[in-house]
Amino acid sequence: MLLTTVAAAALLAPVADAPIATQARDRVVPIPAQNAPSPGNVPPPAATKAPAFKLINLDEDWSYLADPAKRATPWSKLKYIPVGETSYLSLGGEFRLRLEDRGNERFGRGAQDEDGNAQTRTRLWADLHMGSRLRAFVDVQDARSIDLDSGEPPIEVSRWDLHQAFLETNAEVGDAKVRLRVGRQELGLGAYRLFDMREGANSRTSFDMARVLVDRKSGWSGGAFYGYALREAKTSWDDATNFDYRLAGVTASRTLGQGPTAPKLELLYVNSDKRGAVYDSVTGGRDRRGSYSARLAGRYGQWDYDLEGVYQDGAYRDLDVSAWYVSAMGGYTFKAPWSPRLGLRLEAASGDKDRNDGKLNSYAQMFPQPISLRTDFGITNMVAIQPQLTFKPTTKLTAGLQVAGLWRQSDEDGLYGLGGQVLRGGLEGTAHYVGWRQAAFASYAVSPFVTVTGILNHTTSGTYLKQTGMADDQTYAGLIVGLRF
């Protein structure tokens, strides 16, 4: 698969900014992870500075273009089309081409992509604001692969489908703006470690849900959501609500102090009910969990930090659940040419400690962001230590280097994929050491709308993979061209 969430971090922040952001809305992402980029976030060439493109397109606000003097280009006229005196329509889209070479995918086990492949993703959306209180949003998506011989699941191939379609209304309640959004929509929370939009895959994901959002200028903000994941399929107009996977949750956040670098605290509770969940130590069954998350992120001088912890309880079939996940990342940006940032990212999640103790300790990843430079591994039963170096030779060019050591947390549990599938069984080997990864990337903003990214990735198989039998070293090379308007 391709590199997830990094070019997005480098490219979705304004080019003049530091290479990584720390607030959730700025798309905190370690650099680099295997991902296809969204186009550069440089202001469009309009009469005045425009808001940045956002990774979640429904969060964009083009109302400032209500002033006709600011609609000086064909592009700006697409972003704000007056409808009557108080309403407007905004149009947007994305096209992404990705050329890949996947060497020894899944370390040689299973079907292989021998001669490279090409992937395209096309999205078109319309955002209708009917006065100041009502909004309708529609987004269609088409994801295709050419010559991908190693398999074409819905995350690789999903022909034209309704990706998002919702209605939203809002009201002022005291000092808060309260929004109610109902329908199919993308969901990204915090640093996207629990809920990511799957930007790194060829096909992004969304949910059928109702969501309440409460925004305040100071104090606590937050909200709640209730709904279902999608049952995705490969042909056109066939994605449907997955009633076997229910999700409900509440969020709360506030800034602890003043100024843009002040730490931000985010709290999240998710109640999930998934039928057919599979773990290495037990066969499929119903997985009902509560996930409790706390995250703190901010800056102090040249330092940035992002810390998050998750605890899970509940029941899987007749087994009690007790699982955890921690993430800690930080870095220092030097006041020097090219603005080099040296960072470190540590992530770990529990695996099942004992197959016969009547408990399940395997962490249940919901819709996670990739953790180790490519979108093959999930975080369940994994420990990853990743030093990172990023720099900006020019205002349009961002580049980075990263290495990662990967270990199993428990030798009783297996190795998992990003979608939760078991890649290698826990009893296939006794060692903890999975492998060592090295990666490099470079992203260049050709224009405010076009970005080109190149990615190289190599993984040396560790002791555990060699014990399981098939353990060829893995390579990846990708060239990604993104266009957004």
Side-chain angles (χ1 to χ4, degrees):
M1 287 187 194
L2 131 139
L3 293 171
T4 171
T5 315
V6 66
L11 300 176
L12 283 178
V15 251
D17 288 355
I20 190 165
T22 56
Q23 300 299 328
R25 65 177 183 178
D26 293 325
R27 184 55 169 148
V28 176
V29 185
I31 294 182
Q34 177 157 341
N35 171 43
S38 295
N41 213 7
V42 188
T48 60
K49 182 177 179 180
F53 289 121
K54 295 185 179 295
L55 191 59
I56 300 181
N57 59 345
L58 63 87
D59 290 334
E60 295 175 358
D61 181 6
W62 305 104
S63 59
Y64 84 101
L65 292 171
D67 182 355
K70 297 180 180 179
R71 299 196 298 272
T73 66
W75 172 83
S76 61
K77 293 175 181 177
L78 277 178
K79 306 311 288 184
Y80 192 101
I81 303 172
V83 179
E85 294 184 0
T86 61
S87 303
Y88 73 93
L89 174 68
S90 181
L91 302 177
E94 171 199 32
F95 177 77
R96 192 181 71 180
L97 170 67
R98 184 170 70 200
L99 305 177
E100 305 180 303
D101 182 81
R102 309 181 184 189
N104 297 322
E105 195 169 0
R106 295 179 290 272
F107 300 93
R109 180 179 287 187
Q112 299 295 305
D113 186 39
E114 301 291 351
D115 55 358
N117 70 87
Q119 294 187 324
T120 63
R121 183 171 76 196
T122 306
R123 295 172 63 199
L124 297 170
W125 57 81
D127 188 4
L128 178 61
H129 291 255
M130 294 163 276
S132 61
R133 298 298 185 192
L134 186 61
R135 177 189 184 194
F137 190 93
V138 175
D139 179 353
V140 295
Q141 175 178 248
D142 178 81
R144 304 180 184 228
S145 292
I146 303 169
D147 290 334
L148 181 58
D149 302 321
S150 57
E152 293 183 346
I155 65 171
E156 306 279 14
V157 175
S158 182
R159 302 293 177 91
W160 286 108
D161 262 304
L162 188 64
H163 179 57
Q164 299 185 88
F166 63 80
L167 291 174
E168 177 181 298
T169 186
N170 69 82
E172 303 293 334
V173 180
D175 65 344
K177 181 178 182 179
V178 180
R179 292 176 287 160
L180 172 63
R181 183 185 301 155
V182 179
R184 186 165 296 181
Q185 56 194 278
E186 291 188 342
L187 179 65
L189 297 174
Y192 305 90
R193 297 184 184 98
L194 275 66
F195 287 89
D196 183 71
M197 300 72 57
R198 209 167 63 195
E199 168 65 13
N202 199 34
S203 172
R204 287 168 65 121
T205 193
S206 54
F207 301 84
D208 286 338
M209 64 171 44
R211 189 177 183 191
V212 176
L213 301 98
V214 180
D215 300 311
R216 300 175 64 206
K217 293 182 179 180
S218 62
W220 289 95
S221 295
F225 59 89
Y226 181 95
Y228 299 87
L230 292 187
R231 194 179 302 280
E232 298 169 285
K234 294 167 60 174
T235 56
S236 297
W237 314 114
D238 56 358
D239 288 357
T241 306
N242 182 1
F243 291 105
D244 289 334
Y245 195 175
R246 178 191 57 76
L247 297 156
V250 292
T251 66
S253 65
R254 70 173 298 163
T255 300
L256 306 178
Q258 302 294 323
T261 64
K264 185 176 182 179
L265 175 65
E266 297 179 345
L267 305 176
L268 171 65
Y269 169 73
V270 180
N271 181 279
S272 59
D273 186 347
K274 184 178 182 180
R275 299 177 186 271
V278 175
Y279 297 94
D280 179 47
S281 58
V282 286
T283 57
R286 187 176 181 181
D287 194 351
R288 291 168 289 176
R289 300 200 183 204
S291 298
Y292 310 82
S293 168
R295 172 179 177 250
L296 183 69
R299 287 183 181 272
Y300 182 78
Q302 301 303 111
W303 293 92
D304 62 79
Y305 57 91
D306 192 318
L307 311 172
E308 186 166 14
V310 180
Y311 176 73
Q312 294 180 333
D313 61 11
Y316 178 82
R317 296 174 56 183
D318 58 346
L319 304 176
D320 291 334
V321 168
S322 178
W324 54 266
Y325 162 69
V326 293
S327 175
M329 54 186 273
Y332 185 87
T333 302
F334 294 87
K335 294 181 178 180
W338 295 12
S339 300
R341 175 188 180 273
L342 184 63
L344 179 68
R345 183 182 185 188
L346 168 66
E347 292 196 84
S350 61
D352 199 21
K353 295 186 293 186
D354 186 340
R355 292 169 177 257
N356 302 308
D357 65 354
K359 298 179 181 179
L360 180 65
N361 308 113
S362 300
Y363 175 74
Q365 53 191 31
M366 286 173 278
F367 298 85
Q369 184 187 98
I371 55 101
S372 63
L373 313 176
R374 288 194 58 185
T375 50
D376 52 352
F377 290 150
I379 189 58
T380 302
N381 196 38
M382 181 72 80
V383 176
I385 300 176
Q386 305 175 66
Q388 309 164 344
L389 174 65
T390 59
F391 44 91
K392 296 180 69 67
T394 73
T395 57
K396 292 187 175 183
L397 177 62
T398 301
L401 302 170
Q402 183 169 337
V403 296
L406 306 171
W407 294 266
R408 285 193 298 162
Q409 193 275 328
S410 169
D411 59 10
E412 289 283 310
D413 208 342
L415 188 65
Y416 292 81
L418 190 63
Q421 69 274 27
V422 179
L423 300 177
R424 305 280 169 110
L427 301 183
E428 292 187 61
T430 59
H432 287 259
Y433 177 48
V434 174
W436 181 256
R437 289 194 151 167
Q438 313 93 42
F441 85 98
S443 297
Y444 184 75
V446 179
S447 77
F449 309 102
V450 180
T451 301
V452 178
T453 297
I455 299 164
L456 295 174
N457 187 302
H458 180 270
T459 306
T460 304
S461 298
T463 309
Y464 166 69
L465 288 172
K466 292 176 180 177
Q467 290 175 344
T468 67
M470 185 66 70
D472 295 332
D473 288 356
Q474 188 183 77
T475 61
Y476 177 88
L479 178 66
I480 307 152
V481 180
L483 166 67
R484 183 151 172 190
F485 66 90

